[in-house]
Amino acid sequence: MSDEESFLAKVLETPADDTIRLVFADWLDERDDAESKLKAQFLRATVQFKTTGNTTDEIEARQKELQPLAAQLPTDWLAVVSWMKIEGCPAKRAPVGSLWLYQPLFEFVCDKRWDEMAPAENTNVRFCNDCRESVHYCDTITVAREHAQMGHCIAIDLGVIRRENDLAPRQYWLGRPSAETLRKEDERCQVDAVSQEREERKRQQSGAASANG
């Protein structure tokens, strides 16, 4: 393998192979530029964190540690190499008759990870062989909310700054909620800084493409 695309193809082919990731990280370090150094650091961190447990809480803790690194990296690269939890899985609905039956889809977390899904032609979509659903990679919380409201399985980029229940739609009250309640709801529904920056970058790229076209 002599270039980055070859390494990425190998990661897609054998996502559980830590050796490939570590060799990839060494190769990136040899390029000696700032972005490659960050990528190498991210790859080594994912391998290290992989051995620290696989419960939902442990995965979320690792994702918080990786967030500052991921926020600085290209999302198309992250979509290939990241280990992300799957959220909004319809297969995790409780049986009929359960009190949890009416819980919104966006609150269900799958026990599978993004890297365990079968790659599709579109690098932002993978397929879960267990629940027979497509899983959508979301590079911003805005995109994630759109997919969640449509009942899609999603994997949210590790660079996104997460908040508790940040996929749920805005709540409304019949009575008059307190100012503190409204403040917390506004905060929960905000778009994080990383997502804002990425959405702005996409708008600029779209505008430039339209101007050139």
Side-chain angles (χ1 to χ4, degrees), residues 99-120:
L99 291 176
W100 295 102
L101 178 63
Y102 303 103
Q103 190 174 2
L105 283 177
F106 43 76
E107 295 186 11
F108 289 95
V109 178
C110 183
D111 53 5
K112 293 287 186 180
R113 296 193 314 266
W114 171 254
D115 59 289
E116 297 173 317
M117 306 292 167

Side-chain angles (χ1 to χ4, degrees), residues 14 33 35 45 60 78 83 131 153 159 165 183 204 210:
T14 55
D33 63 89
E35 184 175 288
E60 289 179 351
L78 290 167
W83 289 328
C131 65
C153 297
N165 296 325
R183 184 194 66 78
Q204 292 175 357
S210 298

Side-chain angles (χ1 to χ4, degrees), residues 180-198:
E180 178 64 10
T181 297
L182 291 173
R183 184 194 66 78
K184 289 182 178 180
E185 182 64 5
D186 286 341
E187 182 178 299
R188 182 186 68 80
C189 294
Q190 286 178 0
V191 176
D192 66 286
V194 174
S195 293
Q196 289 181 38
E197 181 180 345
R198 288 174 173 177

Side-chain angles (χ1 to χ4, degrees), residues 67-106:
Q67 186 276 321
L69 267 178
Q72 303 175 69
L73 294 171
T75 55
D76 55 348
W77 187 85
L78 290 167
V80 176
V81 304
S82 293
W83 289 328
M84 295 172 283
K85 65 181 180 180
I86 307 302
E87 302 178 59
C89 179
K92 294 300 174 182
R93 275 189 179 274
V96 173
S98 167
L99 291 176
W100 295 102
L101 178 63
Y102 303 103
Q103 190 174 2
L105 283 177
F106 43 76

